[in-house]
Amino acid sequence: MSVNRRFTADAGHPAEHQGKGRPRAFDRETALRKALRLFWERGYEPASITELCEVMGIRAPSLYAAFGNKAGLFLEAMHYYEKTYWAEVEARFMAEPDLYRAVADFFSDAAKILLSPETPCGCLVVLAAVNISADEREVIEAIRKCRFAMKSKFAERLRLAIRSGQIAPDTDVPALAGALNTFLEGLSLQARDGLFLSELKAIAAHAVRLLPERR
Amino acid sequence: MSVNRRFTADAGHPAEHQGKGRPRAFDRETALRKALRLFWERGYEPASITELCEVMGIRAPSLYAAFGNKAGLFLEAMHYYEKTYWAEVEARFMAEPDLYRAVADFFSDAAKILLSPETPCGCLVVLAAVNISADEREVIEAIRKCRFAMKSKFAERLRLAIRSGQIAPDTDVPALAGALNTFLEGLSLQARDGLFLSELKAIAAHAVRLLPERR
DNA sequence: TGATATATATAACAAGCATTAAAAAATATG
DNA sequence: CATATTTTTTAATGCTTGTTATATATATCA
């Protein structure tokens, strides 16, 4: 199943179409946001095309014409998710000069995102494809890359801290980045399990403890 | 959907049946182990009755007669899983007098279980019902209780350590237990993501860092 | 206006899902 | 041997899944 991208790359322009045929009757980005929310709540496979169509307010052929297929819709929703909910927080994490403050702030922000009252609980990238069928290769691989990218960001930030002398040069960067990533992904499961924000924040505050002692 | 338990409580006796009718043609525990393995690999919902029947070597009516329904089969498989793979490790965790050694040993053992070459990756209890449909109440609740029990064990062990003076009495036990649990559940996701055992162990070794400094 | 191009709605597709009704087979007890 | 009881097999149930063929509606371009 490969993603069909015959739609013109509108890239968020106000007048996104202006071709020859009948104009699209729905707003593509609004529909995408609705789809994102359902994928976020249910996960990739349990979110059925039928229910996606309902929340998007369109019929199946419109969905397929605009997004290719279910996998294509999900992947676009996932990129929209990343950009909308994590891009800024990650940027701040990389920019904050003090490693300990960067980690503390990042996990505090993460707890807020994972339990925002306006959105579903937990992280789409961590949770949406946990028990996905093995033949959804495209979706599996894309999500895995996304998770791997987060771990790489942790590693990059740690190497930065080594260069600035905040942690020892012989720090096991892959293992420590892996530990931070493990803790972050674990937080998504906790968020799904119905914890209060106060509880999740108290837990998230332990992330800095994973770092070596300040020197 | 409630679990039908009309089978006699055999409790592992060698001659488990000896009633009046036609004797069962398959070994119940062997079939249960096969079912467990499939639930473990695929998760609760993606493991279909059809495939369960295939790996168990029986037909659907036999499955329903012996285990009630899919939920009943899963719950029994889950209890078998806990008893078989985690009971001992948890017992050692509670028995080891030194908290730091207890946590280090537990997470080292956990890494081994989560990436054992003989079994599927990750923990059944953590992963099997992540994106489960909301109307599977019985399964959802049973699994949640199981996860909650692990967090309670962490809390209990921490209170023990307070009583023996190994950590400060004003330690935030719920938050620290939550953090350990978060890290443990995160390890299951890492195990599923294809890490090597050496990598997972290096990550798991960071769990002790979550504890307050030794006094 | 007529040709072309795109989007829409309706309805269908085959395949898979959990579960069970009915009949046949195998055992124990009277 | 006859009857009661349980398991097994076969086959079907009604429902949901992702996807698409067909026909119709609505726009632009010549």
Side-chain angles (χ1 to χ4, degrees), chain A residues 115 189-200 203, chain B residues 151:
Chain A
L115 273 187
L189 294 167
Q190 305 305 311
R192 273 279 166 96
D193 247 345
L195 270 67
F196 294 117
L197 179 55
S198 58
E199 299 176 291
L200 199 68
I203 291 172
Chain B
K151 187 153 79 168

Side-chain angles (χ1 to χ4, degrees), chain B residues 13-31:
Chain B
H13 290 299
E16 66 169 57
H17 171 247
Q18 293 321 23
K20 279 180 77 176
R22 176 173 176 172
R24 184 177 287 136
F26 63 94
D27 182 67
R28 199 173 177 283
E29 187 174 319
T30 303

Side-chain angles (χ1 to χ4, degrees), chain A residues 52 66 75 119 135 159 172 176 187 204-205 215:
Chain A
L52 284 164
L75 295 183
T119 59
D135 46 45
R159 286 191 297 266
D172 185 345
L176 182 50
L187 284 179
R215 12 186 254 161

Side-chain angles (χ1 to χ4, degrees), chain A residues 3-79:
Chain A
V3 181
N4 204 353
R5 289 188 175 274
R6 56 185 119 123
F7 48 85
T8 56
D10 42 80
H13 291 297
E16 66 170 59
H17 172 247
Q18 293 321 24
K20 277 180 74 175
R22 176 174 174 173
R24 183 176 287 136
F26 63 94
D27 183 67
R28 201 173 176 283
E29 187 174 320
T30 304
L32 182 64
R33 275 199 300 265
K34 299 287 192 183
L36 164 58
R37 171 169 273 267
L38 192 71
F39 279 130
W40 198 347
E41 276 173 20
R42 299 235 190 294
Y44 175 71
E45 277 182 322
S48 72
I49 294 285
T50 302
E51 204 174 356
L52 284 164
C53 285
E54 279 171 16
V55 302
M56 297 168 84
I58 61 178
R59 248 57 70 211
S62 300
L63 188 158
Y64 279 82
F67 300 99
N69 58 14
K70 190 181 179 183
L73 175 59
F74 177 83
L75 295 183
E76 203 171 333
M78 184 179 75
H79 291 127

